[in-house]
Amino acid sequence: MFARKSDLVIAITTYDIDALRLSIPAVRRCARDATLVIHNDNNGLELLRDFVRGTGWRGALHIINEKNNLGEFESKIATLEYIDSEKIPGNWILFVDDDDALIDATVPNVSESTFAVVQNATTISDNITDIFKISPKWTAGSEYGKTGAHFDIAGTLVRRDAAIEFAHFMRTILPEIKKIAHGFKYRVPVGAIMWVGLKTFMRHRHPEMSAIYMNQTNYVSIKLGHAPQKYGLRAVPVTSAKTFNSNVIKKFTEMFERAAVQI
């Protein structure tokens, strides 16, 4: 049994709004009954409703045009705070990166003790024509790219109450988060870091709850080419990305553990 898709809020944070031409049509194909919330963190460019409607989205829509560039961490926190303050209906929240594609928005009927549902993602990194082959049929996996478990805040269904509570926690430690992030030469993997933070937070605050894994693909991570920067920050070189990301996750994990025990 599955819950109705209208039980879902899909959140997109963006800096380069042209990327929404890729992510929003994909959301429309699989989640037209969801509520879409977009946080535009590019204070130099206003995101208009006509632009979003032009991508094909016809459902419930909220646009937040930030007056000051917050950075990717705070952009996601601000989005969750907005969902909470505006009392946007929906028991589940799912983040989508502005340049990725969601292919399945089904909310499984899981136990009340489940705070998140991790699924698989297919990563496209070699052939640009694979983008045109993206289909909901990929939910069983795909011959295109590499498919595996996606441990990231993007593409992961998170129970609304857990997500909002986590946002409040993140707000209290945001200065330390920014300090650590600014200590690295390159853009850190924000989505993976936030997933680690959420797991750590929930383990300390709500040990009675847990995340589950579903062996099904619901997300396509598009990593074609290698842009020198993203979100206004330098991208880590491909040759050293694995080691860099591992070191970053370790550093943030230690910080989250320290902060969580003080809750």
Side-chain angles (χ1 to χ4, degrees):
M1 297 294 294
F2 295 89
R4 295 188 310 149
K5 290 179 183 176
S6 57
D7 200 33
L8 178 65
V9 179
I10 294 179
I12 300 178
T13 57
T14 185
Y15 184 81
D16 181 1
I17 66 174
D18 282 329
L20 297 172
R21 300 179 192 275
L22 177 61
S23 56
I24 295 178
V27 168
R28 175 181 54 80
R29 285 192 291 270
C30 68
R32 63 179 68 247
D33 293 329
T35 297
L36 180 61
V37 179
I38 305 174
H39 185 277
N40 171 31
D41 198 33
N42 186 341
N43 58 330
L45 188 62
E46 183 180 9
L47 176 61
L48 301 176
R49 294 180 70 87
D50 286 349
F51 177 92
V52 177
R53 295 305 187 196
T55 66
W57 181 256
R58 295 292 180 268
L61 173 65
H62 295 255
I63 296 174
I64 311 158
N65 281 300
E66 193 58 55
K67 295 180 179 179
N68 300 293
N69 175 237
L70 301 180
E72 196 172 358
F73 279 112
E74 192 170 1
S75 178
K76 284 181 167 55
I77 294 170
T79 302
L80 292 171
E81 291 172 336
Y82 177 89
I83 292 170
D84 184 34
S85 65
E86 294 297 312
K87 296 180 172 55
I88 297 175
N91 290 320
W92 294 86
I93 296 173
L94 189 151
F95 275 99
V96 175
D97 284 346
D98 61 359
D99 54 357
D100 287 341
L102 182 70
I103 58 172
D104 186 8
T106 305
V107 179
N109 187 13
V110 296
S111 165
E112 290 293 326
S113 64
T114 299
F115 73 82
V117 181
V118 175
Q119 299 182 64
N120 295 332
T122 293
T123 300
I124 294 177
S125 57
D126 296 323
N127 191 344
I128 193 171
T129 60
D130 287 345
I131 292 178
F132 305 109
K133 302 172 184 176
I134 293 174
S135 162
K137 294 180 180 179
W138 286 20
T139 53
S142 170
E143 69 273 24
Y144 307 108
K146 181 181 179 182
T147 299
H150 195 223
F151 300 109
D152 195 293
I153 200 73
T156 296
L157 286 161
V158 181
R159 199 174 288 277
R160 179 204 181 93
D161 290 347
I164 299 302
E165 197 173 349
F166 174 61
H168 296 329
F169 167 70
M170 288 285 286
R171 175 64 70 183
T172 65
I173 60 173
L174 187 58
E176 189 171 359
I177 290 172
K178 289 183 175 181
K179 181 178 179 180
I180 294 174
H182 292 160
F184 291 99
K185 289 175 59 178
Y186 304 106
R187 175 180 176 266
V188 299
V190 172
I193 291 168
M194 290 192 70
W195 169 244
V196 169
L198 175 62
K199 285 196 306 176
T200 304
F201 171 78
M202 292 299 291
R203 176 161 47 82
H204 285 273
R205 177 63 69 90
H206 296 287
E208 76 283 3
M209 302 187 75
S210 61
I212 65 170
Y213 166 67
M214 288 181 60
N215 187 18
Q216 179 168 299
T217 303
N218 74 324
Y219 198 80
V220 180
S221 178
I222 301 171
K223 300 184 182 300
L224 293 170
H226 185 66
Q229 64 177 358
K230 181 179 179 181
Y231 216 91
L233 299 169
R234 294 173 63 193
V236 60
V238 174
T239 53
S240 56
K242 185 175 182 180
T243 299
F244 174 79
N245 289 339
S246 177
N247 291 336
V248 169
I249 294 296
K250 180 180 178 181
K251 185 79 170 179
F252 274 96
T253 299
E254 293 171 350
M255 184 274 294
F256 283 129
E257 287 288 351
R258 290 195 304 272
V261 297
Q262 299 174 21
I263 296 173

